[in-house]
């Protein structure tokens, strides 16, 4: 996995991003408890790399992902796409931003609308962004399905999520994410619900896509092994703070931060291979 | 407990709880039923002859034509607490009426110019003008005790809303001169009355009756629905249900050996009224045609189940003295087809046209369509307002049938039952209506109401001339009859008024239902029937324990 | 191959789902019973359009038999007998079925549409909009509906449509609460977020993603609402606040009651009461059966049994 | 401390709701056609008399002025005098209240307990004959047309069989003779039985069905399997682990059904001549007795609001996951 | 004698489409104090085995054939009464979804005391509560958290409470069905250590179920690899993981990512899950096996003994052919 490092502007940049959640219930009882999910995070993701984000549960991984696709706004700090600040985007600008940044969700069973056929699900980004006409859209969907490893595409066109296995659903999610040709995709633990044999196939798919379309990925996981397999660089996050960043091999072979070490130690030691 | 049973306890079912024992407030019939046993007037009507006879007064008033005065001698009566009933009480009652402008009374008592007390038991009433209704309407108002009310009135007068304060004063034990007095009232459950030991009438012969009361006490029990009350009657839980019952019960009740059903004439008026203030009903011919179309026979036999009599004048035929049998009749004895033909011709003559004229052939009637007024304008849809079926199913059904009859000739009639409040608000308050069916269940026997209902002076919001009838000739006669004291002379005028009304027909009188009541024969007998049924003070003064019958029956069970 | 066949396919999906649910539904004894009873009433309602054509005597409101002047029991000419003005009770019962359907279905429809719309908006929008809408719903929930109906009924002229409208107005809050909570749980589902990430507007999300998911539930509630609407209308009529110009079962009971035939004419008293119970029962059974079709937990079990 | 604050907040919320409802009602009543006097069809009343009566009732003022007066009085604890009773409304209410509470709380609670108990059994034996009988019975209860049912009950048990009195709350015959308190109490219970029975059946259906479906849901939870894995007996699992959780929705429904019981109650009270609030309310509404109707209404509203608050708290107590 | 001996066990679920053969003709045994791991992908029947051993199969499931001999008793013939006395005391189970396995409205200590009470009715209240405290200290939950409600616990603590519950009556066998799947790595690590420690301390036998081979390998000495309701390979963990013989085991291992290296990762073909209803004969893995042969699809493979402890369910010639590659 040696991609030439880009010294140009990073595709995504987080500058001192903080995210707080308040448990505000209603207008009478103002919430008092503030959860600091992210604390002053700074990150830069270069073009065409797969950037891994590892950490234990509740450390704020998903929150970063959601900030990046603008499902949430940061409390403080700036997120830049291609060097341009993106805070508080609205209307057209937001749409444009979203066509550039897509997301694959963790749970394949919940991330597809059970009432929409696969074709309808995948076509939706094209429809809402008013790209192409009915015919070209159909072709595009077919093409994307094949790319996502669901071939022949026609077979899946009119199926519904409940007629697919977990792995196939996750492929549909991938297809939906890549149909707009985004520059950047957030993949939030896309395989944590899948069996190992299926997961590895999906990893392979992501790698293929990256190669083919020169897309950039943020890969969120708690599985260090997967992160090492897939990623160029890794950031380790702990309690909303990034404790260590570096190339995947380096972070795992030679962890600096005690938390990283703890994390690595906690991985069940499987020393039967080879 | 055993001993009490010996006591003659009369149990009467009421459909609802009495709301108040304050005579100035109580407007619901149940409170009045109880209060009428307590507060007594100077004169009352004999149940048989319907003549005014002395009650608290000792004899007929002495009329002085020159002075326009009535001298009245009171009986030596006592209030139920044992104090004497005197002229002062009458004077006080009058003062109370006038001071507080008590609705319904003050306006009547205004006719009195002066009231002189001669002695404890003699009074002279001086009138401002001759009044035909002085005896029947003024002297029949109940007299209250000065002792009971003086302080209350004095306090009330000081307040911002004296009348309201007076009315809101909670009276727990009303003080009266009547045959019974209130012994106990348990809210929501019962009213218990005991014989008044001081009742002036006990043992006396008034009218044709030697008055009791022959029962020791009365227990009023409450039954939320007629069905339950009738079950209670059948079961013997109550001796009488003091409420009109619907014809539906009659067959069943008549079959019961222990039950006696009373059927009496009512002095009532149920009518179809029109709004004469605007088209189309400002046209007399149209009203007459409608009167012709209405099949009173049908209403009587079906809707009233034959428990009633048809009405042909505003005054019910039972009120024989004042009733004019020779007024114009519109429908008598006609078959539906004939009625239809006559009405059709009347309308044609009056200038009404149709887009498609109704025809009557051997196969029946083909409905007309698009009726036009004499001025050529199409007749707008009009609504016949009726009370809802739960309030009075008879009127609601009558409205429905009338709608059908009118439609046959092409009139766009719509019967619309609506809640009683809204109905009155529209008809009496806002005058916003076309036609309506209403009724008076209990008219006074004195026919002065003809004036009240049709005098053009009363054509104002909340006034009683709801139709907006305006006939100067009528007004003149109406005014005149009021001051004529000679009954025969007055009768002529009253008859004339009826003729005018039935010609102009602002109201079409429809029917006069009978009042149906039922009692249990098990324990008591001797109910006195009157024009408005057996629920009256005479009955309660006269019913006695029915020994032979009741004992056997009770033991048998 | 290149032809777009999306539309028919789309419909097929619903047909397929419908037939599938139908299969489960019809296997449910409760659903089956409900459906049978319901069809019987439907037949009655349909018949009510034709019976008056037999002659003026068979008009439910004005068709008084000229030969009958009091309430009679069942006979050949009048299957259930007549009321006291000689109107055919069976015809009234048929008419009542029609009215019950009209009242039940339209009340349910209005209140469910309203409740669903408000519930979705409230749940999806959240914040102050949610608070306000839900407080309003609270107010409606807290008011004793029958009494409010009484007041409103005296405010407006009583016609069947006014009554339908009033009942519907009083009945939306419980629907909207349920739809709201459903929407809340849907709102944070990844597929909604995925659609947001794809750039879909709120409008599209509500109608394309949330609505199909809450519709079955809304539909289910509709059957329950039908039940309560019919009962409320009957109660209103019985209390004398119904549309007096319209025959309905409640009205029939009101008439038998107010005319003093309550315990004298079982042929008049029993049919409307039984019909009310049976029709509401059938809708209720339908709803319960549907509930089992919709509830994935129950359905799974059904499938595997 | 925190709980207190939340309760305080809830109370504020309830108060705001209460006053909104009060306002809405006030104007709703004023908007209704007619007035308390228009119903008096006594031809001896002249228009002037009527005008006087209306003025004396304070109804001649514009509605907003009446409203201000009403609010002022409300805060000084004066709910006004009933137009028809002439008594202070509070007296009437204090009179009716105990009857209503006696009947409705008893019937609701009994029905809730019975519903929970039977629903539990039905769910536990899902598909068995017992379940079918209970479910169908509950369905029938649920769809009963109340007045119809009440009258039939009355006819059968009070008239035909004669076991119970024909309505009312007491036998006047007993009470006018000074009988012992004990007998009086028995008498009230005797009168209460039929309305109680009617209301009981009306409520029973919905509670049973609710409990049944809720219990069926709970029985599928993991912790039930865990409980079985522990070797607990069926009875313990059913009563301790399943029923308690399953009863939670029933509690909510009991709170909400208080509002319903006033509705269904009015009819039942009417037929059984039970001197409760519901009957009074119907009377007041149809006779335009505004002060009385408003007060009854507000009372019901307050009861329902407070009941809901209590239910919320109870819920929090029963379900530790909800923390206030 | 083995503590538990399962022979030719088949379990099926009745469904609309037919009988789901969730567990098919499996045999295994476990000695006192040993640990046995079941590994396999989702839906291969792991939980079904656990539930069968607990007598907790849902109504639509039935044991089609086979014997389960535990300590000399045949569990397959138990009635309800016997099961109740048995469960929790002799065998207990730690469930997959720990988050929902505790009753939310009952305090944790009571839920544990309950087990002790029911199986030791004679025990006094204070003894029970002492016992509860002892067990809590064993799973390292602080004593002051005893009277909490489950929702006040974190995921790890809940899982510990569940373990405590399983341990309460010192059963001879504990079945742990994916006890750590829902937990994150660090907590998982702690829990696994806990289980190992306790097993050693109490000398209980453990059946450990997981889809994560590393976790199973961490805890268990003996391994059964499952596929589509069959046990396809069994042996000690060294045998199974160091020298896997069954093609499925190989695939599984091949797609497992480790921290150390990923050179030997082979991405398997896209596969279909076996249809447990229609598949009756033949090797269930045949559709996805790269050593396909006609035989695999119609003929049921047999157990091939590779060592005294190591066996694979395949055709001998194929195994050998594979070895020759
Ligand atoms: N909408 C929200 N409201 C309040 N707190 C939130 C919200 N979303 C997340 N949090 C909190 O923010 C923190 C970080 O959450 P996040 O979902 O980003 O963790 P994660 O690393 O993705 O965990 P996991 O591995 O379990 O998915 C957690 O403590 C979580 O409780
Ligand atoms: N109650 C049931 N009714 C019908 N089929 C069932 C039932 N429970 C499980 N199954 C089926 O039996 C098979 C085995 O299920 P089981 O739960 O034992 O798998 P598992 O190995 O535990 O899977 P996972 O790793 O997902 O927990 C699956 O195909 C499943 O669909
Ligand atoms: Mg996450
Ligand atoms: Mg499992």
């Amino acid at each position: 996995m040696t991609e030439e490092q880009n010294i140009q502007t990073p595709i995504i940049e987080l500058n001192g991003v903080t995210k707080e959640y308040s448990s505000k219930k209603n207008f009478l009882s103002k919430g008092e408890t503030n959860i600091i999910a992210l604390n002053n995070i700074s990150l830069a993701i270069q073009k065409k790399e797969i950037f891994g984000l590892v950490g234990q549960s509740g450390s704020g991984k998903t929150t970063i992902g959601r900030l990046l696709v603008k499902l949430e706004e940061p409390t403080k700090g700036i997120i830049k796409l291609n060097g341009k600040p993106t805070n508080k985007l609205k209307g057209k600008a937001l749409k444009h931003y979203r066509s550039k940044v897509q997301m694959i969700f963790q749970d394949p069973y919940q991330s597809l609308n059970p009432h929409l056929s696969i074709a309808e699900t995948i076509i939706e980004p094209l429809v809402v962004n008013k790209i192409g006409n009915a015919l070209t859209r159909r072709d595009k969907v077919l093409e994307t399905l094949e790319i996502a490893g669901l071939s022949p595409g026609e077979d899946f066109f009119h199926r519904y999520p409940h007629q697919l296995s977990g792995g196939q659903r996750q492929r549909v999610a991938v297809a939906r994410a890549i149909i707009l040709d985004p520059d950047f995709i957030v993949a939030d633990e896309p395989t944590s619900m899948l069996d190992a044999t299926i997961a590895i196939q999906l990893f392979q798919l992501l790698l293929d896509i990256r190669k083919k379309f020169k897309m950039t990925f943020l890969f969120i996981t708690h599985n260090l092994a997967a992160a090492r397999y897939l990623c160029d660089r890794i950031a380790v996050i702990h309690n909303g703070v990034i404790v260590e960043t570096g190339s995947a091999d380096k972070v795992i072979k030679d962890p600096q931060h005690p938390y990283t070490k703890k994390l690595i130690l906690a991985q069940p030691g499987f020393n039967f291979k080879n | 407990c055993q001993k009490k049973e010996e006591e003659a306890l009369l149990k009467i079912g009421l459909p609802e709880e009495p709301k108040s024992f304050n005579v100035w407030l109580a407007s619901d019939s149940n409170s009045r039923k109880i209060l009428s046993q307590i507060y007594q007037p100077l004169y009352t009507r004999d149940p048989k002859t319907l003549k005014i006879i002395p009650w608290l007064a000792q004899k007929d008033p002495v009329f002085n034509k020159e002075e326009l005065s009535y001298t009245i001698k009171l009986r030596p009566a006592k209030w139920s607490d044992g104090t004497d009933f005197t002229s002062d009480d009458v004077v006080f009652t009058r003062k109370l009426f006038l001071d507080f402008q008590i609705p319904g009374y003050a306006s009547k008592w205004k006719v009195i110019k002066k009231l002189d007390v001669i002695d404890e038991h003699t009074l002279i009433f001086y009138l401002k003008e001759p009044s035909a209704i002085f005896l029947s309407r003024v002297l029949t108002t109940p007299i209250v005790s000065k002792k009971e009310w003086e302080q209350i009135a004095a306090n009330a007068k000081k307040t911002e809303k004296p009348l309201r304060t007076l009315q809101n004063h909670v009276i727990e034990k009303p003080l009266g001169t009547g045959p019974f007095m209130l012994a106990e009232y348990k809210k929501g459950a019962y009213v218990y009355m005991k014989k008044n030991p001081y009742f002036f009438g006990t043992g006396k012969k008034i009218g044709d009756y030697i008055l009791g009361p022959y029962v020791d006490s009365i227990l009023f029990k409450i039954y939320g629905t007629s069905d339950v009350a009738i079950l209670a009657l059948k079961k013997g839980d109550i001796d009488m249900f003091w409420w009109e019952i619907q014809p539906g019960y009659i067959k069943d009740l008549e079959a019961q050996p222990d039950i006696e059903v009373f059927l009496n004439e009512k002095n009532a008026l149920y009518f179809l009224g029109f709004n004469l203030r605007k088209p189309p009903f400002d046209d007399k011919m149209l009203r007459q045609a409608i009167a012709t179309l209405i099949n009173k026979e049908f209403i009587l036999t079906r809707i009233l189940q034959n428990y009633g009599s048809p009405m042909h004048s505003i005054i019910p035929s039972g009120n024989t003295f004042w009733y004019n049998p020779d007024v114009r009749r519109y429908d008598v004895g006609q078959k539906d087809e004939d009625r239809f033909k006559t009405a059709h011709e009347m309308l044609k003559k009056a200038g009404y046209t149709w887009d498609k004229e109704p025809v009557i052939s051997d196969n029946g009637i083909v409905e007309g369509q698009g009726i036009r007024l004499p001025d050529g304008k199409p007749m707008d849809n009009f609504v016949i307002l009726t009370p809802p079926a739960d309030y009075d199913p008879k009127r609601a059904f009558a409205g429905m049938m009338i709608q059908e009859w009118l439609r046959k000739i092409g009139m766009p009639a719509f019967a619309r039952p609506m809640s009683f409040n809204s109905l009155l608000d529209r008809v009496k308050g806002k005058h916003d209506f076309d036609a309506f069916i209403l009724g008076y269940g209990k008219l006074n026997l004195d026919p002065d109401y003809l004036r009240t209902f049709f005098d053009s002076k009363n054509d104002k919001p909340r006034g009683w001339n709801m139709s907006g009838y305006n006939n100067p000739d009528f007004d003149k006669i109406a005014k005149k009859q009021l001051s004529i004291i000679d009954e025969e002379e007055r009768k002529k005028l009253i008859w004339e008024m009826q003729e005018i009304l039935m010609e102009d027909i602002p109201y079409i009188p429809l029917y006069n239902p009978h009042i149906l009541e039922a009692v249990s024969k098990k324990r008591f007998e001797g109910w006195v029937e009157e024009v408005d049924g057996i629920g009256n003070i005479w009955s309660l003064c006269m019913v006695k324990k029915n020994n032979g019958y009741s004992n056997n029956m009770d033991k048998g069970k | 191959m290149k032809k777009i066949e999306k539309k028919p396919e789309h419909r097929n999906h619903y047909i397929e789902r419908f037939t599938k649910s139908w299969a489960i539904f019809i296997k449910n004894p409760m659903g089956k019973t409900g459906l049978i009873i319901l069809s019987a009433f439907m037949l009655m309602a349909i018949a009510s359009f034709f019976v008056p054509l037999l002659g003026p005597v068979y008009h439910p409101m004005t068709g008084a038999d000229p030969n009958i002047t009091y309430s009679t029991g069942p006979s050949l000419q009048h299957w259930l007998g007549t009321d006291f003005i000689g109107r055919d009770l069976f015809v009234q019962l048929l008419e009542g079925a029609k009215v019950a359907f009209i009242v039940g279905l339209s009340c349910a429809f209005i209140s469910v549409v309203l409740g669903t719309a408000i519930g979705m908006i409230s749940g999806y929008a959240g914040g102050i909009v949610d608070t306000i809408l839900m407080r309003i719903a609270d107010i409606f929930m807290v008011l004793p509906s029958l009494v409010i109906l009484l007041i409103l009924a005296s405010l407006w002229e009583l016609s069947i449509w006014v009554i339908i409208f009033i009942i519907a107005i009083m009945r939306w809050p419980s629907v909207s609460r349920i739809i709201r909570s459903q929407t809340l749980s849907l709102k944070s589902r990844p597929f909604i977020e995925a659609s947001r990430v794809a750039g879909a507007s709120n409008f599209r999300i509500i109608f394309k993603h949330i609505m199909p998911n809450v519709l079955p539930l809304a539909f289910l509630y509709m059957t329950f609402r039908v039940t309560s609407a019919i009962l409320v209308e009957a109660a209103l009529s019985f209390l004398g606040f119904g549309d007096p110009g319209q025959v309905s079962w409640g009205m029939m009971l009101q008439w038998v009651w107010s005319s003093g035939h309550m315990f004298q004419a079982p042929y008049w008293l029993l049919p409307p009461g039984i019909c009310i119970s049976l029709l509401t029962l059938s809708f209720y059974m339908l709803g319960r059966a549907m509930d089992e079709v919709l509830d994935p937990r129950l359905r799974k079990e059904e499938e595997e049994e | 401390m925190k709980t207190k604050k939340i309760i305080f907040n809830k109370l504020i919320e309830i108060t705001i709701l209460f006053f909104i409802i009060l306002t809405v009602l006030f104007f709703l009543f004023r908007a209704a056609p007619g007035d308390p006097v228009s119903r008096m069809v006594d031809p001896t009343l002249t228009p002037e008399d009527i005008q006087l009566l209306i003025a004396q009732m304070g109804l001649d003022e514009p509605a907003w002025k009446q409203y201000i007066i009403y609010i002022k009085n409300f805060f000084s604890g004066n709910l006004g005098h009933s137009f028809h009773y002439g008594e202070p409304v509070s007296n009437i209410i204090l009179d009716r209240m105990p009857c209503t509470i006696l009947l409705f709380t008893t019937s609701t609670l009994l029905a809730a307990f019975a519903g929970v108990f039977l629903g539990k059994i039905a769910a536990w034996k899902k598909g068995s004959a017992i379940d079918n009988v209970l479910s169908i019975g509950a369905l029938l209860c649920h769809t009963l047309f109340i007045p119809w049912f009440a009258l039939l009950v009355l006819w059968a048990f009070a008239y035909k069989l004669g076991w119970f009195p024909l309505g009312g709350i007491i036998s006047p015959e007993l009470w006018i003779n000074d009988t012992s308190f004990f007998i009086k109490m028995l008498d009230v219970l005797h009168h209460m039985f039929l309305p109680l029975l009617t209301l009981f059946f009306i409520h029973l259906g919905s509670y049973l069905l609710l409990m049944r479906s809720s219990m069926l849901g709970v029985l599928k939870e993991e912790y039930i399997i865990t409980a079985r894995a522990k070797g607990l007996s069926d009875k313990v699992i059913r009563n301790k682990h399943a029923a308690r959780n399953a009863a939670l929705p029933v509690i909510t429904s009991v709170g909400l059904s208080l509002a319903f019981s006033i509705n269904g109650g009015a009819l039942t009270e009417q037929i059984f001549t039970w001197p409760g609030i519901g009957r009074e309310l119907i009377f007041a509404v149809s006779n335009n007795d505004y002060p009385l109707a408003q007060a009854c209404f507000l009372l019901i509203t307050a009861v329902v609001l407070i009941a809901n608050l209590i239910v919320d708290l109870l819920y929090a107590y029963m379900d530790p996951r909800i923390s206030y | 004698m083995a503590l538990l001996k399962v022979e030719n066990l088949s379990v099926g679920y009745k469904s609309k489409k037919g009988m789901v053969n969730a567990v098919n003709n499996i045999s295994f045994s476990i000695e006192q104090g040993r640990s046995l791991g079941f590994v396999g992908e989702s839906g291969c029947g792991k939980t079904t085995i656990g539930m069968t051993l607990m007598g907790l199969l849902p109504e639509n499931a039935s044991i089609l054939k086979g014997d389960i001999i535990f300590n000399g008793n045949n569990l397959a013939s138990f009635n309800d009464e016997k099961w109740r006395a048995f469960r929790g005391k002799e065998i207990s189970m730690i469930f997959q979804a720990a988050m929902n396995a505790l009753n939310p409205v009952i305090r944790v200590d009571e839920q544990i005391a309950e087990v002790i009470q029911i199986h030791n009715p004679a025990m006094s209240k204070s003894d029970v509560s002492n016992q509860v405290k002892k067990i809590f200290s064993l799973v390292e939950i602080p004593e002051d958290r005893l009277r909490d409600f489950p929702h006040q616990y974190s995921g790890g603590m809940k899982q510990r409470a569940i373990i405590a519950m399983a341990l309460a009556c010192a059963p001879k066998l504990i079945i742990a069905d994916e006890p750590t799947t829902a937990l994150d790595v660090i907590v998982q690590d702690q829990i696994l250590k806990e289980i190992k420690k306790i097993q050693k301390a109490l000398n209980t036998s453990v059946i450990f179920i997981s889809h994560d081979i590393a976790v199973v390998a961490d805890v268990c000495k003996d391994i059964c690899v499952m596929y589509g309701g069959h046990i396809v390979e069994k042996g000690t963990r060294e045998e199974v993981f160091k020298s896997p013989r069954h093609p499925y085991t190989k695939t599984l291992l091949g797609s497992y990512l480790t921290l150390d290296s990923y050179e030997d990762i082979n991405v398997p073909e896209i596969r279909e899950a076996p249809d447990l209803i229609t598949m009756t004969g033949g090797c269930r893995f045949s559709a996805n096996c790269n050593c396909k042969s006609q035989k695999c699809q119609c003929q049921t493979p047999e157990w091939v003994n590779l060592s005294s402890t190591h066996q694979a369910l395949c055709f001998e010639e194929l195994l050998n052919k594979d070895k020759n590659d």
Side-chain angles (χ1 to χ4, degrees), chain B residues 220-240:
Chain B
F220 290 96
K221 298 164 89 172
I222 294 135
Y223 292 92
T225 68
S226 296
D227 303 279
V228 179
I230 282 166
L231 291 182
L233 192 68
K234 278 164 51 174
K235 211 176 147 196
D237 284 1
I238 49 173
D239 302 304
M240 177 220 190

Side-chain angles (χ1 to χ4, degrees), chain E residues 11-30:
Chain E
V11 180
Y13 294 97
K14 271 187 238 106
S15 85
K16 276 227 181 91
K17 290 178 199 135
M19 180 68 87
V20 178
N21 298 298
V23 166
N24 216 332
N25 209 21
I26 62 167
S27 308
F28 61 89
S29 66
I30 178 169

Side-chain angles (χ1 to χ4, degrees), chain B residues 17-40:
Chain B
E17 214 184 337
K19 302 290 178 222
S20 171
F21 295 131
N22 183 322
V23 270
W24 313 127
L25 177 70
S27 59
D28 60 301
S29 64
N30 297 298
S31 307
R32 292 201 163 187
K33 280 167 192 161
I34 289 176
L35 290 175
S36 67
Q37 309 309 315
I38 295 172
Y39 293 105
Q40 300 304 322

Side-chain angles (χ1 to χ4, degrees), chain C residues 138-159:
Chain C
D138 276 352
I139 292 176
F140 276 95
M141 291 264 261
V142 162
L143 295 176
S145 48
L146 195 63
V147 184
I148 288 289
L149 282 169
L150 297 191
I151 299 177
L152 293 184
S154 67
L155 252 176
W156 287 306
E157 283 182 20
L158 298 165
S159 88

Side-chain angles (χ1 to χ4, degrees), chain D residues 184-227:
Chain D
K184 284 183 176 176
M185 213 176 67
L186 280 185
D187 185 44
V188 171
L189 289 181
H190 191 212
H191 280 80
M192 208 168 107
F193 188 82
L194 285 185
L196 195 67
L197 187 82
T198 311
L199 288 173
F200 174 78
F201 274 113
I202 290 164
H203 287 147
L204 178 67
S206 54
Y207 292 141
L208 199 159
L209 293 173
L210 186 60
M211 179 68 186
R212 182 178 175 274
S213 68
S214 153
M215 180 96 170
L216 281 179
V218 169
L219 285 179
K220 298 215 164 63
E221 296 284 349
E222 294 283 335
Y223 54 78
I224 297 298
I225 301 180
T226 313

Side-chain angles (χ1 to χ4, degrees), chain B residues 1 4 9 11 15-20 25 27 32 100-104 107-108 137 161-165 167-168 170 184 186-190 192 219 221-225 227-228 231-232 234-235 237 256 391 420-422 424-425 428 440 452-453 460-464, chain D residues 33-35 38-58 60 81-88 91 95-96 151 154-155 158-159 162 164-170 172-173 175-177 270-271 273 275 279-280 283 285-288:
Chain B
C1 210
K4 292 267 172 181
L9 172 65
K11 297 182 205 165
E16 240 175 76
E17 214 184 337
K19 302 290 178 222
S20 171
L25 177 70
S27 59
R32 292 201 163 187
F100 288 88
Q101 283 299 307
I102 291 177
S107 54
K108 285 186 219 152
R137 307 298 295 272
K161 300 206 156 141
L163 176 59
R164 194 67 199 149
T165 318
Q167 289 183 321
N168 285 349
V170 178
E184 201 190 341
K186 189 132 237 124
K187 274 185 191 162
Y190 62 86
Y192 183 48
L219 184 62
K221 298 164 89 172
I222 294 135
Y223 292 92
T225 68
D227 303 279
V228 179
L231 291 182
K234 278 164 51 174
K235 211 176 147 196
D237 284 1
Q256 306 282 328
Y391 182 84
F420 199 62
N421 285 339
S422 320
L424 283 175
D425 190 47
K428 193 156 164 260
Y440 298 98
T452 316
F453 293 163
K460 51 188 165 188
R462 294 211 161 94
W464 284 104
Chain D
D35 50 56
S38 65
R39 220 180 156 85
M40 301 176 185
V41 276
D42 178 357
T44 56
L45 287 183
T46 61
E48 292 74 29
D49 284 344
I50 290 172
Q51 204 47 54
L52 175 69
L53 278 174
I54 286 176
Q56 291 285 320
M57 289 174 180
D60 53 343
H81 283 68
S82 155
F83 292 158
H84 289 266
Y85 286 91
E87 278 185 66
N91 284 4
D95 238 48
R96 304 302 193 217
L151 277 165
L154 205 60
W155 181 80
Y159 177 68
F164 296 98
L166 281 161
I169 183 167
I170 52 175
E173 289 88 341
W175 288 59
I176 52 175
N177 306 319
Q270 185 70 29
I271 286 165
T273 326
R279 246 185 107 200
E280 216 49 67
F283 165 80
V285 167
S286 49
N287 286 284
N288 296 29

Side-chain angles (χ1 to χ4, degrees), chain E residues 47 96 177-178:
Chain E
T47 301
Q96 197 161 2
D177 184 2
E178 315 224 12

